[in-house]
Amino acid sequence: MVKKTKEDLEDVSLLKFALVSQLKRTYESSDADVLLFAGADGRIYASYIPDSIGPKIFELTNLISHNLLHVSQQLAMGLKQSVIEYDFGTVIFSSVGRGALLISLFAGKADLSDDMHKIQVAREVIQHIFEQRPMTADQLSNYSEEVASELRILAKIVFNEMYTQSSEYKKNMEILADIKEKITGVMGRGEVEPTLAMAFNEIASSPKWMTEDLWPLLVEMIIRDQIRPLHGDYVADVCEAEWIPDIKHKLESFV
C-alpha cells in the first residue's frame, strides 16, 4: 500500500481546483445549467452547480444514472459525443479520454449551436488537465488557438491559487496588515488605503509580490513622503525608529 504524502494531497487538490475552474468558465460562457466531469463508473471527479437550480435539473440529473451505463459502453466502442433530448431539457455526454466524460445539462429548450463548440473546447482542455500533460509550447501547439488560449488562462488561475497558499504570500499579507495598523495609529483609518496606494505605485509593486528588501523601503517612503510632511519631524522620527526595525524583525522571524 502506497502511503499518501502531503505533496500528493496538494497535487490532487490543485487538480480538482483546475477542473472545477474550467467547468465554471464553461458555465459562464455557455447556456449550460450544470456541468459534471465524471468517470464511466459514475464517480463525479468535479462539478460546477450554481447556488440556485430549478427542479428540471434534478430530473435530468436522475436520468443521467440510467443512461450512464449505456453511454459508457458506447464510449468504450469509440463514441465521441452523445446528445440526448428530453421534453424538459438536454444532456450532452462528451468523451474525455478513456473512461471519463464531460456531462453538460441544459434545462428547457436551447439553441445548442454555439454551446456545442464551447463544450468541445472545454472537453479538450479538461482532457489535457486530467491527463496532467505539461503546459509547454510544444504541447499547446497541438491545439487550436482557442483551446491553447483557454489552457494558458487556466494555468494562470491555478498559479495564482498556488501562490495564495504559499508561505511567501501569507507572510506578505501579515506584513501588510501590520503596516495598515501602524498607519491607522498615526494617520487614521481613512488614510490607510490612499497612503498605501501611493507608496505601492511609487515602488511599482503590489502587496502579494513584495520581497524582504521592498517592505522596509515601502515603510521608509511612507514616513518620508506622507507622515513627515503632515505630522512633523518628531512623529516621523518615532515611526522611523520603531516601525522599520519591527518590520525587519517580523520578516526575519516569519515561519
Side-chain angles (χ1 to χ4, degrees), residues 46-62:
S47 64
Y48 186 76
I49 303 171
D51 294 334
S52 58
I53 57 175
K56 291 180 180 178
I57 288 295
F58 288 108
E59 294 181 60
L60 283 170
T61 305
N62 289 332

Side-chain angles (χ1 to χ4, degrees), residues 162-175 207-213 215 251 254-255:
M162 289 174 64
Y163 185 75
T164 58
Q165 300 303 315
S166 70
S167 60
E168 190 69 24
Y169 177 84
K170 292 174 182 176
K171 174 180 71 176
N172 282 344
M173 293 304 102
E174 285 193 22
I175 297 297
K208 70 178 184 179
W209 300 120
M210 292 290 282
T211 63
E212 291 190 8
D213 293 334
W215 281 118
L251 287 166
F254 188 92
V255 178

